[in-house]
Amino acid sequence: MTITSKSPLVVAFGEMLIDFVPDSAGVSLAESTGFLKAPGGAPANVACAITKLGGNSAFIGKVGDDEFGHMLVDILKKNGVNSEGVCFDAHARTALAFVTLKKNGEREFMFYRNPSADMLLTESELNTGLIKQAKIFHYGSISLISEPCRSAHMAAMKAAKEAGILLSYDPNVRLPLWPSAQAAIDGIKSIWNHADFIKVSDDEVGFLTQGDAEKEDVVLSLWHDNLKLLVVTDGEKGCRYFTKGFKGRVVGFSVQTVDTTGAGDAFVGALLVSIAKDPSIFQDEGKLKEALKYANACGAICTTQKGAIPALPTNSDALDLVNKSQAK
């Protein structure tokens, strides 16, 4: 697929940062002898996932006017993401995260943000013209943690909603960044009822409900009447979906997992590409299941390589995995 201006635009809002990933898995940060520098930040990963699949995306956020900040904007540009909405902060640094990879590819995070540039985006710096061109406006919850970024996030969401743009929310819980667990639950839920589409992981369901994520009534306690689609990702098991009219499960793909970083973002990017192209997916279970199978494939492929953005699949990578599994 070639990127054309005709592809509906998805605007992703939030943080972009540098992940430092140990060059060997299964060691603590203290034991690690070297780190690979990997661009990260969930909303930016989603924006890159979309363009890598042939979609059309823009990223809005703030980075430091430092080497890392300029490197990140270059990465957006190299990936074909519109970066007109990115601001540079002359005084604050680009955020850093040190990521520990455990033996099973799961992660732990240690963040350096005191305060980092992404937290200092103000409402007046928002490129509202760019937001209003979107078909979908996508965001997480890290931009809700502190001011002035929280007010900028709320204003961006309001502008998108008023322009009739679909709101997409992936809370991406990162507990160490919040003052407390309760503050995280309250902050994440403070904008819950605005979204048209929400994606949460099974772990996040457990955290937000303090219940068993396997149980349907627990998941459905997160449902609200403005929602068109709620998706719960269950790692390699696949995902569950809930709409006003139907619900079900789509099985995942079995791959050799190296690093789960960015898998959820690859999943979300893939699903947003499908939704942007054809919003009737919310009413058509067959189409939705196809889109979710494709998204599962994208998430799976992303775990087979270190880092988020470098590991994002192309459209043909994803279709190959889908077709391979169907041939079995």
Side-chain angles (χ1 to χ4, degrees), residues 140-155:
S141 70
I142 290 170
S143 41
L144 297 171
I145 297 173
S146 50
E147 292 292 359
C149 190
R150 181 185 164 84
S151 291
H153 181 137
M154 300 306 284

Side-chain angles (χ1 to χ4, degrees), residues 53-65:
L53 293 169
N56 184 12
S57 72
F59 174 73
I60 293 179
K62 199 175 199 184
V63 292
D65 190 1

Side-chain angles (χ1 to χ4, degrees), residues 137 139 157 161 165-171 191-199 224-229 244:
F137 182 66
Y139 47 87
M157 238 169 51
K161 194 77 169 172
I165 294 157
L166 192 91
L167 299 187
S168 162
Y169 185 24
D170 176 357
I191 59 166
W192 199 260
N193 293 354
H194 296 284
D196 298 290
F197 161 59
I198 294 175
K199 172 255 163 188
H224 65 79
D225 282 343
N226 300 327
L227 263 183
K228 294 180 169 70
L229 174 64
K244 286 190 173 80

Side-chain angles (χ1 to χ4, degrees), residues 6 23 37 91 96 102 161 173 181 192 208 230 244 264:
K6 291 188 189 68
D23 54 11
K37 192 174 74 202
H91 308 291
L96 309 178
K102 297 185 210 161
K161 194 77 169 172
V173 177
W192 199 260
L208 291 169
L230 173 66
K244 286 190 173 80

Side-chain angles (χ1 to χ4, degrees), residues 181-182 185 189 204-213 218:
Q182 194 54 51
I185 293 171
K189 287 190 166 172
E204 289 166 342
V205 171
F207 172 68
L208 291 169
T209 63
Q210 302 294 299
D212 179 355
V218 171

Side-chain angles (χ1 to χ4, degrees), residues 52 101 104-105 236 253-263 266 296-308 310-314 317-318 321 324:
K52 193 113 180 242
L101 287 185
N104 61 357
E236 62 191 22
F253 296 87
S254 192
V255 292
Q256 192 62 51
T257 295
V258 175
D259 173 13
T260 57
T261 310
N296 280 344
C298 289
I301 292 164
C302 191
T303 69
T304 61
Q305 226 179 304
K306 270 192 196 139
L312 293 169
T314 62
D317 293 337
L321 183 56
K324 244 189 238 148

Side-chain angles (χ1 to χ4, degrees), residues 5-23:
S5 55
K6 291 188 189 68
S7 284
L9 179 66
V10 180
V11 172
F13 172 91
E15 70 286 351
M16 188 171 195
L17 51 115
I18 308 272
D19 287 335
F20 284 96
V21 187
D23 54 11

